[in-house]
Amino acid sequence: MSDLPKSLLANERLADAQHLKRAEIAEATRTVVSERGVDGASLRIIARKAGCTTGVITHYFANKEELLEYALEHAFIGVEADLELIIESDDVLATLKDMTLNYMPTNEQNRKTWAVWQSYISRADENRRIASIIRRVHGAARVKLTDYIRRGQALGLVTEDYTAEELSDQWSATLNGLTRLALFENPPLDEESLAKRIDLQIALIRPRNTP
């Protein structure tokens, strides 16, 4: 049995419940944004998707903008945790391939994620807070990818003809390009076709004379 005072336990349970409710509303928000875009994501529609009233939403969030910002930030908590686990492997090239394929829009969840991301990017020019969140998320991912490629260079798995920063930016450009092919090519590229193109990119960053 816990030694914490009952009042403290009650406060902790309340905080957990509030956190879960905010997360549920954020998930509903991302679903609506993926379907209707940021401009079409009204509080009324989000409330309907979340199974609550607009009053419940405004209890947890001051306004739509605060909700949109929280939903964007909350979306990348899991992504950042996944990256931390993924880049622990010394099998750098295989991990880069798996990581890239894992984020390709070849399933419903990933297509939703990319739709949300693109919708937020379209608002970044006019919303400084959203732009700041996107820069932070993108910057953190760029640093992790660059460090991981640098480890690959140290292990002799990745060419040193270019800096880790240059190779990281090139890999990100490849990821973005393949994403668009997976979304808009007619017919869209399937996972097997994407894997072949990722293998080509891997071949290009291997050290010279590597079989």
Side-chain angles (χ1 to χ4, degrees):
M1 190 169 181
S2 175
D3 294 329
L4 291 174
K6 289 183 179 180
S7 59
L8 183 55
L9 284 172
N11 288 338
E12 287 184 347
R13 292 192 187 101
L14 178 60
D16 289 343
Q18 290 176 337
H19 177 75
L20 287 173
K21 192 61 181 179
R22 285 168 65 87
E24 288 175 7
I25 295 171
E27 178 62 28
T29 301
R30 289 191 293 274
T31 298
V32 173
V33 168
S34 72
E35 297 169 348
R36 298 170 175 264
V38 169
D39 291 334
S42 69
L43 291 183
R44 178 177 56 82
I45 296 173
I46 292 169
R48 186 187 308 148
K49 183 69 70 173
C52 64
T53 65
T54 55
V56 170
I57 292 180
T58 55
H59 173 75
Y60 291 100
F61 300 96
N63 50 47
K64 175 183 170 179
E65 290 304 314
E66 182 181 301
L67 171 55
L68 288 171
E69 292 163 10
Y70 179 83
L72 176 60
E73 287 191 297
H74 191 267
F76 290 98
I77 294 174
V79 173
E80 291 173 344
D82 288 345
L83 282 174
E84 289 290 349
L85 292 174
I86 288 170
I87 63 177
E88 288 180 0
S89 171
D90 284 339
D91 194 354
V92 174
L93 297 180
T95 300
L96 283 173
K97 178 179 179 178
D98 291 344
M99 179 175 65
T100 302
L101 276 175
N102 188 52
Y103 287 110
M104 285 289 105
T106 53
N107 58 59
E108 184 177 350
Q109 180 59 43
N110 284 4
R111 284 191 290 273
K112 171 185 169 182
T113 299
W114 280 103
V116 170
W117 182 243
Q118 293 301 318
S119 187
Y120 272 105
I121 287 176
S122 71
R123 285 290 299 276
D125 283 345
E126 59 190 64
N127 187 308
R128 290 184 179 180
R129 177 61 183 159
I130 287 177
S132 176
I133 295 170
I134 290 173
R135 281 195 297 269
R136 181 185 62 78
V137 170
H138 181 270
R142 184 174 185 263
V143 168
K144 291 182 187 299
L145 180 58
T146 299
D147 287 346
Y148 195 48
I149 288 176
R150 188 174 291 114
R151 186 197 302 180
Q153 291 176 321
L155 293 170
L157 300 172
V158 176
T159 181
E160 293 187 292
D161 291 345
Y162 303 94
T163 67
E165 289 80 7
E166 290 168 337
L167 292 171
S168 173
D169 289 344
Q170 177 60 31
W171 194 273
S172 295
T174 298
L175 171 62
N176 288 330
L178 290 178
T179 297
R180 280 157 178 74
L181 288 176
L183 287 171
F184 305 120
E185 188 74 1
N186 188 19
L189 293 187
D190 58 20
E191 189 165 318
E192 181 179 356
S193 299
L194 289 167
K196 289 180 179 179
R197 286 157 175 79
I198 295 170
D199 285 337
L200 172 60
Q201 182 65 21
I202 287 174
L204 293 173
I205 68 171
R206 288 182 184 273
R208 294 183 185 182
N209 303 319
T210 299

